[in-house]
Amino acid sequence: MELGEQLEIRVVKDVILRRKKHNDVEGDIGLTGHQLVFSRRSGSPRGTTTDDRDGFLEVLISNMWQITEKPSSTPPSLSIRLRDMRSISLLFPSAENQEMHKVAKSIGKINELTNPRLAYPFYYHPNVDFARESGWSLFSIDEEFDRMCCPPNKWRISSVNLEYAVCPSYPGRCIVPMEIDDETLIKVSKFRQSGRFPVLSYYHPSKETSIMRSGEPLVGPANRRSKEDERLLKASLTTGKRGFIMDVRSTQKAQQRQSRGGGIEIEAHYPHWRRVHCTVEHKLSVLQESFVKVVDACCDKSGSSGTWLSKLRSSMWLSHVTDVLVAACKVAQSIERDGSSVLIHDTHGFDTTIQVASLTQVLLDPFCRTIQGFKILIEREWISSGHPFGDRCGQIGFNRANEAPIFLLFLDCVWQVMQQFPLAFEFNETFLRLLFENTSSSAYGTFIGNNERQRNELDLSRSTFSVWTHFASSSVTQQITNPIYESHSSVLWPSVAPQSIVLWSGLFLRWEGGPEPLTDFAEEVQQVGTKHLRMKESVLGLKEELRRLEDEVQQKLTEISEGVE
Amino acid sequence: MELGEQLEIRVVKDVILRRKKHNDVEGDIGLTGHQLVFSRRSGSPRGTTTDDRDGFLEVLISNMWQITEKPSSTPPSLSIRLRDMRSISLLFPSAENQEMHKVAKSIGKINELTNPRLAYPFYYHPNVDFARESGWSLFSIDEEFDRMCCPPNKWRISSVNLEYAVCPSYPGRCIVPMEIDDETLIKVSKFRQSGRFPVLSYYHPSKETSIMRSGEPLVGPANRRSKEDERLLKASLTTGKRGFIMDVRSTQKAQQRQSRGGGIEIEAHYPHWRRVHCTVEHKLSVLQESFVKVVDACCDKSGSSGTWLSKLRSSMWLSHVTDVLVAACKVAQSIERDGSSVLIHDTHGFDTTIQVASLTQVLLDPFCRTIQGFKILIEREWISSGHPFGDRCGQIGFNRANEAPIFLLFLDCVWQVMQQFPLAFEFNETFLRLLFENTSSSAYGTFIGNNERQRNELDLSRSTFSVWTHFASSSVTQQITNPIYESHSSVLWPSVAPQSIVLWSGLFLRWEGGPEPLTDFAEEVQQVGTKHLRMKESVLGLKEELRRLEDEVQQKLTEISEGVE
């Protein structure tokens, strides 16, 4: 077995585990092809005050983001930074560093494997009785077509990409304007970056407006145009209405792309459309750097309040969050208030474009704010539409250069909206956090691969379990449900003032010092909510019993009076 | 009547009221000696979408902090910044500015009056049936002596200051070590700044440790000492124990005071005590500037996320909050973990000293985290101990140079702890906010004057109502109660890491744009909590009825069977 061969060592005894907010514990570590397991030695002289939970720790090797050997520290130690933002240290007994080096090397080799079939989800079988199919069949484009009330005389589901030949990153079936036939779509795909021709992302039935997504137009230095592309865009509009092309790159950056074959729509060729630019950072390295900086700032407890605010500022994380929110609010405004359709694109159409399109739907559509609706939104807009989770979130065999927190930024934006409208979401921040954790290192197959084609090749639905099935289990459902949710159908207009955008402490500061206010608080609210429900049931039950007893009394009384008569 | 004479104008018609988060409303303003009243004109062509609440606005003149006339704007307008952080504008119809100027001048003259007897609380009579005494008799030093379990063989209540002759800013009766007689206290008072001899602030019965407060020692350039002072400090310690003198000024600043007659205790003369410095900003102008800066930053919606974080940083507000928290944690640690008593002082002993001493008690003593306990804490440590509310918070006739957010900083620290331990407080942030609002502009007499002497002279308890009586009314109690409070007796150890200290948005951003998440959320939790309680009562009632009916059924059955026999 390929995995086992990578292990240069399987067990090290007498290692000390050091973590924040925990006492040191002494025990043994075991390495498997997918996990590092630490188990406390019974009667370990250290960590006497720690509770049982501290005695055992399992970490997926795919969760390990950075491993630093410190051979000259006393004792020699291995620092491991995890993708879920935790840091742990293993202190080795021997001064020779041999064992430590072997552990580090084994982990490194496993994480360098490029065969996705070796990933943990292919080996994982949940203990509980799992309906293997349910999560994989969560989303269907036909059902979504109906749910969004797309008028069938205006829109249709095309199977032009069924073999993934027209656009490798698109799903087999996409919603496009009725008027546009498959041959036109093929032509349009040649005029759009990565073959990503404009497809329907969201339809607003009462306003008869739509959000579409695509790659940039391949205008190039020769100022090319595509009559088919122009026709597609026109066909997407309701007669008499107009639309906006929202380029989520700066004007300058979008224009620079022209020399490299891309560029911007020439407005003269799209008379019913106006182009606007709403800058959202899309450079992967810039976003990744921002993420690393904000995580570093959160770990650094040494500085003053001033230093912290400075570092938070210079990470630019909250600026990026704000930018995505601003863009989504603009699209929502256009759809809901101005009654204009919107085509969103950046360069490739599978990063920022998806961020903005899906966040807009969270604002506009109450269904997306339910647990089921949010799952489907992620399936439809992110997974099925080809956001490259494999590349961005570091699944097995990934290339670090392509890593970027695109999906996390989206989750952070949702969290910001949730903060401002705490009753509007059926789920809580735990759901968002668990989603983040499962994108980077997971026992489930949902976020493996970059697109539907790759996922089909891997036959994921047969060889792995879906994270949605996991989330549907009753214990997880309880954990991720907002007990004070109140369904209401209005659009959310969050404040994007800088004062309103705050650090998601439940995620970024989760493993840091101090109490965990939000979790405690949320748990307590959860408990009150649950108690409240149970109490309600109990009242109903008692009322029922009361009614029954009253009947009984009445009957006895009748019997008695009849007996007397 | 002196007040009415200040009014140069009483009514202005056709004024437009402009506020954040509201539409403009047209109406009339009326000025009384204490209030500016705006009432919407019925059928006003503007503000058609505003609700009824927007039709009427009453603002206390004592709440007006800054009034800016803008005679050359079209129309001429008056900008009013309120002490509760709101801003409103009045747009006047006439281009002559005469009326606007008269309004501004009247307000200015009223706010310049120096006779405290003209303040609004002396005129205010609540509508509801109010037990006038209850709030004024909330606090008694005898009851507190017993509640804190001060051993009567170790501590006593001295009446040496009954005439306020020994220390004008102290209450008539103070807790001091048993061994120290009144004559010694008089001698000690001459060695302590402002006559503030060391008095007991808090006693920890199980650890037998105490917190004392005082003014700085008057060591002066001649290196004076006071055997009586040394004896007092020694007498406060349990035999065999040691103590810390916590000077909440920097070493340098404390030493500089020596040339001006003050200074620091010379450790050689206090063999059982160790002096430590824990710097908390105490300069009034610096603190006031920080407050103004943070409020300005919150109002400025124009900047980016980066600008906002920079302004928040340069206001230094969160640094000041952190410093007070750090000092209180150190005192708590000494009392609870090290078993050492602490004497806290700055220069005068009625600003920073009180901040730190009272915050420590919030951490140590669960009683101070109840509504009743927190009220008593404020009465005992702030009002009775002579924190100059009149000077610091701008009651009638105040001097702007003495204004400083000392009490607000304390409230902010309590809010930070509350954020970290959301179950530990019986009250919620609304209580803290209402306290802040009532210190600067109030209908109640509680925060008038600088000390007990002044308050007695004004005969406040007979001529005004107490804010505590107001807070005890059922509607306010419901508003300020934390529905998820769980009483527990442990000490709170908050995180003081810079990441844990955040802006109190419910206070500072209350009037700013965007939804009000915390209020909404808290209200909802409140509702679930209340429903939960009602449900519980209902279950009990139903169970009771069930039992009654079962008895009834049983009795009938017995009757029947007896009848049959």
Side-chain angles (χ1 to χ4, degrees):
Chain A
M1 207 272 288
E2 210 180 324
L3 268 172
E5 288 163 15
Q6 314 302 323
L7 298 175
E8 305 206 347
I9 193 166
R10 287 178 187 267
V11 174
V12 187
K13 291 194 176 284
D14 304 329
V15 174
I16 293 168
L17 171 67
R18 178 165 291 173
R19 283 171 296 174
K20 280 185 187 166
K21 292 165 81 178
H22 290 267
N23 290 337
D24 284 358
V25 201
E26 197 170 332
D28 307 330
I29 57 173
L31 266 185
T32 74
H34 292 116
Q35 279 160 311
L36 182 146
V37 179
F38 176 92
S39 52
R40 184 166 76 94
R41 255 213 331 229
S42 62
S44 149
R46 309 196 62 145
T48 42
T49 63
T50 55
D51 58 15
D52 266 354
R53 283 182 305 161
D54 288 341
F56 199 76
L57 182 77
E58 253 185 17
V59 180
L60 282 184
I61 289 180
S62 59
N63 193 2
M64 297 181 184
W65 188 43
Q66 218 172 45
I67 295 175
T68 317
E69 292 184 61
K70 295 178 180 167
S72 50
S73 65
T74 322
S77 71
L78 204 60
S79 261
I80 305 179
R81 218 161 144 175
L82 302 178
R83 294 184 174 280
D84 61 17
M85 302 186 197
R86 247 182 309 176
S87 289
I88 59 172
S89 287
L90 298 170
L91 281 59
F92 286 79
S94 135
E96 295 170 35
N97 305 321
Q98 277 261 323
E99 292 175 323
M100 178 180 77
H101 184 62
K102 280 181 181 171
V103 170
K105 213 172 154 197
S106 303
I107 293 171
K109 280 167 86 179
I110 289 171
N111 271 342
E112 273 163 22
L113 295 175
T114 52
N115 181 356
R117 275 180 219 277
L118 294 174
Y120 184 52
F122 289 91
Y123 296 77
Y124 176 70
H125 285 268
N127 284 329
V128 290
D129 187 25
F130 236 56
R132 193 184 276 229
E133 263 74 72
S134 68
W136 290 116
S137 56
L138 176 83
F139 160 73
S140 122
I141 189 80
D142 302 274
E143 281 171 23
E144 281 293 278
F145 188 92
D146 293 342
R147 192 192 58 78
M148 292 197 286
C149 305
C150 300
N153 62 344
K154 190 78 196 153
W155 298 93
R156 69 183 183 93
I157 299 175
S158 162
S159 301
V160 69
N161 198 41
L162 214 53
E163 305 296 327
Y164 310 112
V166 180
C167 170
S169 65
Y170 264 172
R173 302 170 68 223
C174 307
I175 306 176
V176 294
M178 189 67 200
E179 279 181 40
I180 305 300
D181 60 23
D182 284 358
E183 271 176 49
T184 312
L185 289 178
I186 293 171
K187 284 182 186 156
V188 175
S189 78
K190 287 174 182 143
F191 181 67
R192 289 280 171 180
Q193 184 61 260
S194 311
R196 294 176 74 94
F197 54 87
V199 294
L200 185 79
S201 160
Y202 177 69
Y203 183 75
H204 193 302
S206 68
K207 301 277 174 182
E208 296 184 349
T209 47
S210 61
I211 301 174
M212 293 206 298
R213 277 186 280 103
S214 71
E216 66 177 347
L218 299 178
V219 173
N223 273 328
R224 284 177 61 208
R225 65 187 278 191
S226 156
K227 297 241 175 199
E228 292 79 11
D229 189 73
E230 294 156 20
R231 196 146 64 76
L232 190 157
L233 255 63
K234 185 163 183 304
S236 76
L237 294 177
T238 307
T239 324
K241 295 234 176 182
R242 303 178 61 81
F244 287 97
I245 297 172
M246 180 179 270
D247 195 322
V248 284
R249 305 168 294 184
S250 68
T251 319
Q252 195 201 358
K253 283 207 175 146
Q255 279 166 347
Q256 281 168 357
R257 289 282 312 164
Q258 214 168 335
S259 62
R260 300 175 66 182
I264 52 180
E265 290 84 357
I266 299 160
E267 277 184 291
H269 301 154
Y270 299 87
H272 297 88
W273 293 81
R274 239 192 76 204
R275 207 185 62 240
V276 287
H277 290 267
C278 182
T279 315
V280 178
E281 183 59 62
H282 62 281
K283 212 174 166 193
L284 302 181
S285 58
V286 172
L287 291 170
Q288 183 64 12
E289 193 193 327
S290 169
F291 174 66
V292 172
K293 275 188 177 175
V294 71
V295 174
D296 282 348
C298 289
C299 292
D300 179 13
K301 288 287 178 292
S302 63
S304 67
S305 171
T307 321
W308 154 245
L309 288 174
S310 242
K311 282 188 172 180
L312 180 61
R313 182 200 167 155
S314 75
S315 80
M316 295 288 285
W317 183 259
L318 296 180
S319 294
H320 296 318
V321 169
T322 310
D323 291 345
V324 179
L325 265 168
V326 167
C329 285
K330 283 190 181 164
V331 179
Q333 192 161 12
S334 174
I335 295 289
E336 169 75 16
R337 294 198 175 153
D338 311 340
S340 303
S341 292
V342 181
L343 168 72
I344 309 171
H345 71 73
D346 53 342
T347 297
H348 295 281
F350 48 55
D351 287 316
T352 311
T353 300
I354 289 181
Q355 263 176 350
V356 175
S358 55
L359 185 59
T360 306
Q361 292 172 62
V362 170
L363 301 180
L364 288 175
D365 188 353
F367 178 67
C368 297
R369 306 195 290 261
T370 63
I371 293 176
Q372 182 73 357
F374 196 69
K375 287 176 179 175
I376 289 178
L377 180 74
I378 289 169
E379 272 289 343
R380 174 161 53 79
E381 290 291 282
W382 291 85
I383 298 174
S384 154
S385 300
H387 171 67
F389 277 107
D391 285 350
R392 297 291 175 265
C393 303
Q395 298 281 353
I396 204 163
F398 82 110
N399 174 349
R400 227 154 241 242
N402 292 329
E403 199 177 7
I406 307 283
F407 184 62
L408 176 60
L409 260 178
F410 161 73
L411 294 178
D412 199 331
C413 290
V414 175
W415 182 83
Q416 304 288 343
V417 181
M418 197 181 263
Q419 283 304 99
Q420 296 190 26
F421 301 93
L423 314 181
F425 290 81
E426 193 190 6
F427 48 89
N428 57 24
E429 69 165 343
T430 305
F431 187 37
L432 302 178
R433 184 172 54 72
L434 290 174
L435 279 170
F436 161 69
E437 287 173 5
N438 273 284
T439 50
S440 46
S441 165
S442 180
Y444 302 95
T446 306
F447 298 107
I448 286 182
N450 288 328
N451 48 55
E452 194 174 290
R453 184 176 57 83
Q454 288 186 7
R455 272 189 298 276
N456 279 355
E457 280 167 17
L458 290 168
D459 202 13
L460 288 176
S461 62
R462 251 186 282 264
S463 7
T464 71
F465 288 87
S466 161
V467 79
W468 308 128
T469 319
H470 168 63
F471 281 140
S473 75
S474 64
S475 66
V476 182
T477 302
Q478 209 195 346
Q479 210 186 340
I480 65 175
T481 301
N482 173 13
I484 59 168
Y485 169 58
E486 274 182 10
S487 156
H488 67 106
S489 56
S490 59
V491 177
L492 306 182
W493 298 111
S495 159
V496 292
Q499 291 88 346
S500 307
I501 310 302
V502 292
L503 185 76
W504 181 4
S505 52
L507 183 83
F508 288 101
L509 299 173
R510 187 168 174 233
W511 306 105
E512 298 309 315
E516 294 181 32
L518 286 166
T519 320
D520 279 9
F521 189 45
E523 261 171 32
E524 187 64 16
V525 172
Q526 191 103 36
Q527 277 178 22
V528 173
T530 316
K531 270 190 209 162
H532 181 59
L533 278 180
R534 261 195 237 126
M535 211 62 115
K536 224 165 168 171
E537 282 166 18
S538 153
V539 168
L540 288 178
L542 282 169
K543 278 192 175 154
E544 184 59 39
E545 200 164 340
L546 202 60
R547 214 171 299 126
R548 197 185 50 70
L549 271 171
E550 275 172 343
D551 286 352
E552 209 172 298
V553 170
Q554 200 51 51
Q555 205 185 332
K556 293 291 174 203
L557 287 176
T558 318
E559 279 173 27
I560 292 165
S561 60
E562 277 169 1
V564 168
E565 271 160 23
Chain B
M1 208 272 286
E2 211 182 322
L3 268 171
E5 287 162 15
Q6 314 302 324
L7 298 176
E8 305 205 348
I9 195 166
R10 287 180 186 265
V11 175
V12 187
K13 290 193 175 285
D14 304 330
V15 173
I16 292 167
L17 171 67
R18 180 165 290 171
R19 282 170 296 175
K20 279 184 187 166
K21 292 165 83 180
H22 289 269
N23 290 335
D24 284 357
V25 200
E26 198 171 331
D28 307 330
I29 56 171
L31 267 186
T32 73
H34 291 117
Q35 278 161 312
L36 183 147
V37 179
F38 176 92
S39 52
R40 185 168 75 95
R41 257 214 330 230
S42 62
S44 148
R46 308 194 66 144
T48 44
T49 62
T50 54
D51 58 14
D52 268 356
R53 282 183 307 163
D54 288 339
F56 198 76
L57 184 75
E58 256 184 16
V59 180
L60 283 184
I61 290 181
S62 60
N63 192 3
M64 296 181 184
W65 188 42
Q66 215 172 47
I67 295 175
T68 316
E69 292 184 62
K70 294 179 179 165
S72 49
S73 66
T74 322
S77 71
L78 204 60
S79 266
I80 305 178
R81 219 160 145 179
L82 302 178
R83 294 185 175 278
D84 62 16
M85 301 186 196
R86 248 182 309 177
S87 289
I88 60 172
S89 286
L90 298 170
L91 282 59
F92 286 79
S94 133
E96 294 170 37
N97 304 322
Q98 277 261 323
E99 291 174 324
M100 180 182 75
H101 184 60
K102 281 181 181 170
V103 171
K105 214 173 153 196
S106 304
I107 294 172
K109 280 166 85 178
I110 289 170
N111 272 342
E112 273 164 21
L113 294 176
T114 51
N115 180 356
R117 276 180 219 277
L118 293 173
Y120 185 52
F122 290 89
Y123 295 78
Y124 176 70
H125 286 267
N127 283 328
V128 290
D129 188 26
F130 236 56
R132 194 185 274 228
E133 263 75 73
S134 67
W136 290 116
S137 56
L138 176 82
F139 160 72
S140 121
I141 189 80
D142 302 274
E143 282 172 23
E144 282 293 278
F145 188 92
D146 293 343
R147 192 192 59 77
M148 292 197 286
C149 306
C150 300
N153 61 343
K154 190 76 196 152
W155 298 92
R156 68 180 184 100
I157 299 176
S158 161
S159 300
V160 68
N161 197 39
L162 213 55
E163 305 295 326
Y164 310 115
V166 180
C167 171
S169 66
Y170 263 174
R173 301 170 70 221
C174 308
I175 306 175
V176 294
M178 188 68 199
E179 278 180 41
I180 305 300
D181 60 22
D182 285 357
E183 269 176 51
T184 311
L185 289 178
I186 294 172
K187 284 183 187 157
V188 176
S189 77
K190 287 175 184 145
F191 183 66
R192 289 281 172 179
Q193 185 61 260
S194 312
R196 294 177 72 94
F197 54 87
V199 294
L200 185 79
S201 159
Y202 177 71
Y203 184 76
H204 194 302
S206 68
K207 300 277 172 183
E208 297 183 347
T209 47
S210 62
I211 300 175
M212 292 207 296
R213 278 186 279 103
S214 70
E216 66 179 346
L218 299 179
V219 173
N223 274 328
R224 286 178 59 209
R225 65 187 279 192
S226 157
K227 297 242 175 195
E228 291 80 12
D229 189 75
E230 293 156 20
R231 196 146 63 78
L232 192 156
L233 255 64
K234 184 161 184 303
S236 77
L237 294 175
T238 306
T239 323
K241 296 235 174 181
R242 302 177 62 81
F244 286 98
I245 296 172
M246 180 179 270
D247 195 322
V248 284
R249 305 169 294 183
S250 68
T251 318
Q252 195 199 359
K253 283 208 175 148
Q255 279 165 346
Q256 280 168 359
R257 290 281 313 164
Q258 214 169 333
S259 62
R260 301 174 66 183
I264 52 179
E265 289 84 359
I266 298 160
E267 278 183 292
H269 303 153
Y270 300 87
H272 298 87
W273 295 80
R274 237 190 78 205
R275 209 185 61 238
V276 287
H277 290 266
C278 182
T279 314
V280 177
E281 183 58 61
H282 63 281
K283 212 176 167 194
L284 302 181
S285 59
V286 172
L287 292 169
Q288 182 64 11
E289 192 193 327
S290 169
F291 174 66
V292 171
K293 274 187 177 173
V294 72
V295 174
D296 282 348
C298 290
C299 292
D300 180 14
K301 288 287 178 295
S302 63
S304 67
S305 172
T307 321
W308 153 245
L309 289 175
S310 241
K311 283 188 171 181
L312 181 61
R313 183 200 166 157
S314 74
S315 81
M316 296 287 286
W317 183 260
L318 297 180
S319 296
H320 297 317
V321 170
T322 310
D323 291 344
V324 179
L325 267 166
V326 166
C329 287
K330 283 190 181 163
V331 179
Q333 192 160 12
S334 173
I335 295 290
E336 169 75 18
R337 294 196 175 155
D338 310 340
S340 303
S341 292
V342 181
L343 168 72
I344 309 172
H345 71 72
D346 53 343
T347 298
H348 295 282
F350 48 56
D351 287 316
T352 311
T353 299
I354 289 183
Q355 265 176 349
V356 175
S358 55
L359 185 60
T360 307
Q361 292 173 61
V362 170
L363 301 180
L364 288 175
D365 187 353
F367 178 66
C368 297
R369 307 196 288 261
T370 64
I371 294 176
Q372 184 71 1
F374 197 68
K375 287 176 182 176
I376 290 177
L377 180 73
I378 289 169
E379 273 287 343
R380 175 163 52 81
E381 290 292 282
W382 291 84
I383 299 175
S384 155
S385 300
H387 172 65
F389 276 107
D391 285 349
R392 298 291 176 265
C393 302
Q395 299 281 351
I396 203 164
F398 82 109
N399 176 348
R400 227 153 241 241
N402 292 329
E403 201 178 5
I406 306 284
F407 184 62
L408 176 60
L409 261 177
F410 161 72
L411 293 177
D412 199 330
C413 290
V414 175
W415 182 84
Q416 304 289 342
V417 180
M418 196 182 263
Q419 283 306 100
Q420 297 190 24
F421 301 93
L423 313 182
F425 290 82
E426 193 191 6
F427 48 88
N428 58 24
E429 67 164 347
T430 305
F431 188 37
L432 302 178
R433 184 171 56 71
L434 290 175
L435 280 170
F436 161 68
E437 288 174 4
N438 273 283
T439 50
S440 47
S441 164
S442 179
Y444 301 95
T446 307
F447 297 108
I448 287 182
N450 288 329
N451 48 56
E452 196 175 286
R453 186 175 57 83
Q454 288 187 4
R455 272 189 298 278
N456 279 355
E457 280 167 17
L458 290 168
D459 201 11
L460 288 175
S461 63
R462 250 186 281 262
S463 8
T464 70
F465 288 87
S466 161
V467 79
W468 307 129
T469 319
H470 168 63
F471 281 141
S473 75
S474 64
S475 66
V476 183
T477 303
Q478 206 194 343
Q479 210 186 337
I480 64 174
T481 302
N482 173 14
I484 59 170
Y485 169 59
E486 276 183 10
S487 156
H488 67 106
S489 57
S490 59
V491 177
L492 305 181
W493 298 111
S495 158
V496 292
Q499 291 89 344
S500 307
I501 309 303
V502 292
L503 186 75
W504 181 4
S505 53
L507 183 83
F508 288 102
L509 299 172
R510 184 167 175 231
W511 307 104
E512 300 308 314
E516 292 179 34
L518 286 166
T519 319
D520 281 10
F521 189 46
E523 262 172 30
E524 188 65 15
V525 172
Q526 190 104 37
Q527 277 178 23
V528 174
T530 315
K531 271 190 210 161
H532 181 58
L533 277 180
R534 263 196 235 121
M535 212 64 115
K536 225 164 169 174
E537 281 166 18
S538 154
V539 169
L540 288 178
L542 284 168
K543 278 190 174 153
E544 184 58 37
E545 200 163 340
L546 203 61
R547 214 170 302 127
R548 198 185 52 71
L549 272 170
E550 276 173 343
D551 286 354
E552 210 172 299
V553 170
Q554 201 50 52
Q555 203 185 332
K556 293 288 174 203
L557 289 175
T558 319
E559 280 173 27
I560 293 166
S561 61
E562 277 170 2
V564 169
E565 273 162 20

